[in-house]
Amino acid sequence: MVPHAARRIHGGRRALPRRRHATLSAPRASADYHVEAHQPHYQGLDYNNLNGGVARHYEPFEDQILRGRTMDSLLTLGCDIFGRLAPYSGWHIEAHQFRIEVNGEEVGLPTPEGVHRDGVTFVLMAMIGRSNAIGGESTVFNLDKQPVEKFSLTDPLDVALVNDERVYHGVTPIEQVDPAVPASRDVLVITYRHKP
């Protein structure tokens, strides 16, 4: 994972996520995805007014994870479901490994941009693991930013699918259950964007 930093927010410290990134693609109506050359992640300011408008560089996925059976299953699941919903185009796919850690001095904010959209078509979020952590509740909002559903990904491979064109989403901070032990939350986010 990538080393993280912390910065002051409202008098406290916020734990920035550690993150790895991969770019893939898939043809129209097919789960035959392809791993692309490593490249930066970009979001426009319209979707991320905190970190948008610049190319962000992250460490690549470890090869054994990117090409492993679990990742293959999740990528294929997304291609299958989203390909049925939108069979008319191929996919630009980006995968993000997020780790949030809290050690008692920091607030674990999984989404520093708060309620947001990712600027893609669909999002697959999968819980990889959590340790000594409470919180991390996800909320889906309509386009008027009114909450419509709340849920928590708690067990490994709990999955949520989001239509990013029709809703906003956000996640609450995590906190430690036992204040003497660091807390962590690992989530895999895979985004699918229409590609001609």
Side-chain angles (χ1 to χ4, degrees):
M1 287 283 188
V2 182
H4 74 285
R7 76 174 116 153
R8 295 271 170 196
I9 290 191
H10 305 301
R13 295 181 75 200
R14 176 176 68 107
L16 295 179
R18 295 195 289 166
R19 184 168 177 172
R20 286 185 183 263
H21 176 257
T23 304
L24 308 96
S25 62
R28 180 172 60 87
S30 171
D32 187 21
Y33 65 85
H34 174 74
V35 177
E36 300 290 344
H38 188 60
Q39 54 195 269
H41 172 60
Y42 181 86
Q43 284 178 297
L45 287 168
D46 290 347
Y47 293 99
N48 188 333
N49 58 17
L50 180 64
N51 295 310
V54 296
R56 289 181 283 163
H57 296 268
Y58 300 105
E59 290 292 323
F61 271 55
E62 294 174 347
D63 198 59
Q64 69 270 21
I65 292 174
L66 182 60
R67 299 180 189 278
R69 289 169 57 185
T70 302
M71 189 71 180
D72 176 67
S73 295
L74 290 169
L75 285 163
T76 301
L77 175 68
C79 287
D80 181 50
I81 293 173
F82 303 142
R84 291 170 192 250
L85 294 172
Y88 42 81
S89 72
W91 298 114
H92 171 84
I93 303 169
E94 294 191 41
H96 309 261
Q97 288 177 301
F98 289 99
R99 167 168 278 187
I100 301 295
E101 295 175 325
V102 182
N103 66 11
E105 298 178 3
E106 300 166 330
V107 176
L109 293 175
T111 56
E113 61 269 31
V115 177
H116 67 284
R117 290 165 61 200
D118 291 327
V120 297
T121 312
F122 298 109
V123 181
L124 183 153
M125 296 177 276
M127 172 56 62
I128 302 303
R130 51 192 293 153
S131 176
N132 190 43
I134 57 172
E137 180 182 59
S138 296
T139 303
V140 176
F141 301 82
N142 63 24
L143 293 179
D144 295 322
K145 296 190 178 177
Q146 300 300 311
V148 294
E149 186 68 41
K150 292 185 179 184
F151 58 90
S152 293
L153 302 176
T154 56
D155 297 319
L157 296 182
D158 278 356
V159 171
L161 306 176
V162 174
N163 184 331
D164 193 63
E165 295 179 332
R166 295 189 178 187
V167 297
Y168 287 84
H169 61 278
V171 182
T172 63
I174 64 166
E175 299 177 17
Q176 296 157 278
V177 176
D178 179 348
V181 178
S184 64
R185 180 178 186 265
D186 293 300
V187 177
L188 174 68
V189 175
I190 307 174
T191 63
Y192 294 74
R193 189 177 74 223
H194 290 305
K195 177 180 179 179

